[in-house]
Amino acid sequence: MDSIAIQGGSQLNGTIPISGAKNSAIKLMAASILTDQPLLLTNMPRLADTKFLGRLLREFGIEVTERDGAEGQETLFHAREITSTFAPYDLVRQMRASFNVLGPLLARTGQAKVSLPGGCTIGARPVDLHLQALTALGAEIELEEGYVTATAPNGLIGAEIEFPFVSVGATEHALLAAVLAKGTTVLRRAAREPEIGDLAHCLVAMGAKIEGIDTDVLTITGVTSLGGTTWSVIPDRIEMGSYAVAAAMAGGEVRLTRSRPGLIDALTDRLIEAGVEVIPTDDGVIVRRDPAVRLKAVNVTTEVYPGFATDLQAQFMALMTLAEGESIIHENIFENRFMHAPELMRLGAEISVHAGEARVTGVEALHGAPVMATDLRASVCLVIAGLAAEGETTIGRVYHLDRGFERLEEKLSACGADIRRIGGGGHEH
């Protein structure tokens, strides 16, 4: 298994281009099931998660062609005909979001058998809301031996669906199914994440009728078929936020390009409060900090969008380990999302965790040590801490990192970080 070694203490200076959003790309890929016409996705990230889902789509008979286009990486999906509607556990367990093929398969073919996704290290994240939404749309659902078997003998039919709480996955899943349902579907208490807006706008470009995009009430008027389109994946706000925090942690000046500053307003406000300069540009932001001036402690509470993203909480905690004073971090989205705290403490951080609250008392310096990644966002938080720690930090289990960050070492090295990947056999590459 690969690990990453970082020699801390170098400032970051340079430019980092932001990739397409993982959380948008995988839902847009699922949308390719809904049409027999080609769907071309540009600004496509090449990640472990997109590869997993590409493999699953090929199982259904969908052509998946990765290539380099005029605007960079792109992938062409063509589901001329669906030859299988079975998603085996072996493929679904590798990535929870692949469960979202269930709705599109059902909408297009009237049937599907999809494995339940299995465990998730950062909390329960049950799929019952997804299944309730599909049942409301007229699906008949049976659960047996870890599989969901769904049929829609009369096709899917529009319905009023009010989610008991905001769920990104359930909102996206219901949207993917409802676009081909007969009649009108109204989704209330819908999630408003930018990636959902990206999916909705792409579906509209394919011929779907959706009103209320970017609000918490989506109204979908079903159509009989969708066509193909070319769609550019929205920039990854979590990647953008992670590198913004990395620049703040290490000090120096980093220009983040190919992105939209408005996507990380909640983080930007906290960074400025902590004493970091954040300057919006035409296609991103400049993040600047004099490492001689100590950061200030800032409190954070994670919330659904447009609040502070749970996917940036670990990174911000890393930053607060060196801030002057005490910061309190409340995690409201996932119950087990402080697994990075003990690993940060191995680097010398002072953190106490009680239920959904972490208290971080800033220290003068962090010191390199061997640490272990527990999930995707925790792994990048350890990279960020390692950039500022004295001496060498080695991070194990970085396969978590490869699920959501494209060419991380290359992007950080280009800005002066001393970071390298060590292969499972101990060799560098």
Side-chain angles (χ1 to χ4, degrees):
M1 244 183 283
D2 287 10
S3 54
I4 283 177
I6 301 167
Q7 194 68 36
S10 303
Q11 287 187 36
L12 296 181
N13 290 287
T15 298
I16 296 178
I18 300 303
S19 301
K22 168 185 96 90
N23 287 346
S24 193
I26 50 188
K27 305 305 162 41
L28 292 164
M29 289 171 72
S32 70
I33 297 169
L34 294 165
T35 176
D36 61 4
Q37 300 297 307
L39 173 64
L40 178 64
L41 297 179
T42 62
N43 196 34
M44 264 298 277
R46 300 263 187 267
L47 301 163
D49 276 10
T50 54
K51 284 192 172 61
F52 286 144
L53 189 52
R55 204 176 304 156
L56 181 58
L57 293 178
R58 287 189 182 100
E59 294 272 316
F60 306 146
I62 299 173
E63 290 170 34
V64 181
T65 312
E66 293 187 349
R67 60 195 196 192
D68 288 323
E71 300 288 304
Q73 295 167 171
E74 58 184 41
T75 309
L76 182 69
F77 302 88
H78 197 175
R80 281 188 182 83
E81 60 174 325
I82 302 294
T83 55
S84 164
T85 57
F86 176 59
Y89 173 65
D90 258 9
L91 289 175
V92 177
R93 74 178 170 82
Q94 300 187 54
M95 184 188 64
R96 287 186 56 82
S98 56
F99 184 71
N100 281 41
V101 300
L102 178 63
L105 284 173
L106 199 54
R108 168 107 181 248
T109 70
Q111 59 179 34
K113 184 175 180 179
V114 176
S115 168
L116 287 166
C120 175
T121 55
I122 57 171
R125 301 217 268 186
V127 294
D128 51 355
L129 288 186
H130 299 229
L131 300 180
Q132 286 163 17
L134 294 175
T135 303
L137 293 169
E140 291 176 10
I141 287 175
E142 286 176 25
L143 297 176
E144 52 189 352
E145 295 175 353
Y147 280 87
V148 176
T149 303
T151 52
N154 307 311
L156 295 175
I157 294 151
E160 291 249 351
I161 299 169
E162 178 155 355
F163 296 110
F165 54 87
V166 176
S167 164
V168 173
T171 301
E172 289 164 334
H173 208 160
L175 181 60
L176 283 163
V179 288
L180 292 180
K182 296 185 191 92
T184 302
T185 299
V186 181
L187 304 179
R188 300 187 189 280
R189 207 174 288 156
R192 299 178 358 205
E193 267 64 9
E195 296 79 17
I196 294 173
D198 199 33
L199 173 63
H201 285 298
C202 176
L203 289 168
V204 168
M206 293 165 71
K209 294 183 176 167
I210 305 167
E211 289 167 33
I213 297 174
D214 296 325
T215 75
D216 60 358
V217 180
L218 292 171
T219 305
I220 303 119
T221 307
V223 294
T224 52
S225 65
L226 293 176
T229 193
T230 298
W231 193 259
S232 176
V233 179
I234 194 174
D236 195 318
R237 65 194 167 99
I238 305 304
E239 187 193 26
M240 183 190 190
S242 299
Y243 287 127
V245 175
M249 186 87 179
E253 179 173 317
V254 175
R255 178 183 285 266
L256 305 175
T257 61
R258 298 186 58 147
S259 194
R260 302 180 197 167
L263 294 174
I264 57 166
D265 283 345
L267 171 68
T268 300
D269 293 346
R270 303 310 187 289
L271 287 175
I272 291 167
E273 225 181 300
V276 180
E277 276 187 86
V278 184
I279 303 145
T281 65
D282 287 348
D283 71 337
V285 290
I286 294 167
V287 181
R288 186 189 296 143
R289 186 174 83 82
D290 176 356
V293 180
R294 200 162 170 199
L295 293 154
K296 298 183 197 71
V298 175
N299 297 339
V300 156
T301 298
T302 63
E303 294 166 316
V304 295
Y305 191 83
F308 193 96
T310 179
D311 280 354
L312 289 170
Q313 176 261 106
Q315 297 88 313
F316 198 80
M317 186 186 287
L319 184 69
M320 289 297 98
T321 60
L322 291 179
E324 193 171 359
E326 181 185 74
S327 48
I328 298 170
I329 297 175
H330 285 281
E331 174 57 68
N332 287 330
I333 310 295
F334 292 126
E335 62 269 33
N336 292 345
R337 220 175 202 179
F338 287 137
M339 290 188 297
H340 44 279
E343 299 300 312
L344 287 171
M345 287 156 75
R346 287 176 56 79
L347 302 176
E350 277 188 37
I351 304 166
S352 64
V353 174
H354 301 286
E357 177 185 288
R359 286 178 179 265
V360 185
T361 306
V363 294
E364 291 286 337
L366 297 175
H367 303 279
V371 289
M372 195 71 77
T374 50
D375 62 67
L376 169 54
R377 307 308 173 189
S379 56
V380 78
C381 119
L382 297 172
V383 169
I384 288 167
L387 292 170
E390 295 171 1
E392 184 168 88
T393 300
T394 53
I395 302 157
R397 287 197 195 150
V398 295
Y399 60 85
H400 287 296
L401 202 61
D402 298 332
R403 287 187 43 226
F405 287 89
E406 190 172 25
R407 303 193 310 275
L408 172 118
E409 306 94 288
E410 190 185 309
K411 289 180 178 184
L412 287 171
S413 295
C415 294
D418 184 345
I419 179 171
R420 64 194 189 281
R421 182 172 289 236
I422 302 167
H427 59 282
E428 295 187 18
H429 59 95

